[in-house]
Amino acid sequence: MPHQDTPIVDVIASGVHDTKNVLFDALMRIGVAAHEVSGNRRDEALDLLKDAGAAVEKATNRLSTLLSAYRLARHENPVVLMPVLVGDLVEYAALRSPPSAQDQSRVHVVRSEVCPDTWLLDRELVADCLVNATLNALRFAVSRIRISAAVENGWLVIKVEDDGPGFSPELTSHPARMQSGVGLFVARRVAALHRQHGRHGRLILENGGAYGGAVFTLMLP
Ligand SMILES: Nc1ncnc2c1ncn2[C@@H]1O[C@H](COP(=O)(O)OP(=O)(O)OP(=O)(O)O)[C@@H](O)[C@H]1O
Ligand SMILES: [Mg+2]
């Protein structure tokens, strides 16, 4: 688990290593599935292929986050602010969740009426943070997830909330010393690199909110 002070190249290396293991696991399952098919064990093969598909999906999302981490490491000023449709952005995060998870959990997208149509932000980096937060929420939610966007005191506030057990105390109580996976590590940096009008963005991890579970809040100036 990377610490916020961990050099970003180390975070990337460890993420690539984990992703390689996930893909190797998928490859093994596909091999066994082929064997099951040749033995006419179709149901067993299907289960293995489903698991392999889920592993490849996980690896794809992880690689996308690692590319964001690479952008943060490679460029002195990696954040490119452009007017982005806020509604599209939150819809995108909801739609990237796997169909299997969409069946089990109800993902609500809510856009406050006072939220303007567009906001200046880096679409690729922010979308990636939101997809990761949504996939995290889907992993922990019992049945409900809410992705919302609003404007509060001149900040764009995007939240991903779920009805799971919430973030551990280590994640919520020591944000500066936070140890996390690659996704939250990148989200914290992406938030901080969004600077406008002398203010910079922040990531807030807390519990409670609309559904009583984890609340991932990205505040962008
Ligand atoms: N909605 C949530 N509810 C409870 N715990 C969460 C939630 N989201 C994240 N976490 C905790 O924070 C950790 C770090 O999340 P992060 O997204 O950074 O990494 P990850 O999901 O473990 O792996 P990846 O790098 O693939 O995203 C998770 O492993 C989990 O323990
Ligand atoms: Mg994650």
Side-chain angles (χ1 to χ4, degrees):
M1 284 213 158
H3 189 280
Q4 278 302 305
D5 298 332
T6 307
I8 205 154
V9 282
D10 291 350
V11 173
I12 294 170
S14 128
V16 168
H17 181 80
D18 286 353
T19 311
K20 181 185 68 105
N21 289 343
V22 170
L23 288 173
F24 184 73
D25 178 71
L27 187 66
M28 286 293 138
R29 284 171 200 272
I30 290 167
V32 181
H35 181 73
E36 300 289 31
V37 169
S38 63
N40 266 336
R41 290 178 295 275
R42 197 172 162 271
D43 288 350
E44 286 84 347
L46 266 180
D47 284 346
L48 285 159
L49 288 174
K50 269 188 204 153
D51 289 347
V56 171
E57 166 112 42
K58 183 177 169 185
T60 310
N61 287 311
R62 173 71 71 82
L63 286 174
S64 172
T65 305
L66 288 170
L67 279 174
S68 293
Y70 170 77
R71 252 183 83 186
L72 298 184
R74 180 75 182 80
H75 300 283
E76 209 156 285
N77 194 2
V79 168
V80 182
L81 297 181
M82 302 269 273
V84 168
L85 289 169
V86 176
D88 278 8
L89 183 69
V90 288
E91 286 284 347
Y92 173 81
L95 290 173
R96 280 295 303 275
S97 54
S100 56
Q102 284 176 20
D103 292 346
Q104 292 155 15
S105 302
R106 283 179 302 158
V107 181
H108 297 278
V109 176
V110 182
R111 212 180 114 221
S112 110
E113 279 163 24
V114 289
C115 189
D117 285 344
T118 61
W119 198 264
L120 279 183
L121 52 87
D122 188 307
R123 190 183 194 285
E124 204 179 293
L125 289 176
V126 173
D128 207 57
C129 297
L130 295 179
V131 169
N132 173 56
T134 307
L135 293 175
N136 285 349
L138 283 164
R139 234 161 66 210
F140 290 94
V142 176
S143 65
R144 286 185 300 173
I145 290 165
R146 181 183 195 261
I147 309 175
S148 62
V151 169
E152 291 170 18
N153 301 323
W155 295 85
L156 175 65
V157 180
I158 307 181
K159 289 183 194 251
V160 181
E161 299 167 78
D162 65 61
D163 62 354
F167 291 112
S168 64
E170 297 81 61
L171 285 175
T172 53
S173 54
H174 300 295
R177 288 186 275 136
M178 180 181 90
Q179 291 207 343
S180 69
V182 180
L184 295 180
F185 177 94
V186 167
R188 190 169 295 278
R189 296 236 173 152
V190 165
L193 286 165
H194 275 75
R195 295 193 190 105
Q196 272 206 92
H197 321 301
R199 302 187 298 184
H200 61 79
R202 344 192 229 135
L203 170 69
I204 301 167
L205 303 178
E206 54 196 357
N207 295 321
Y211 296 155
V215 184
F216 165 104
T217 306
L218 206 54
M219 291 186 59
L220 301 176

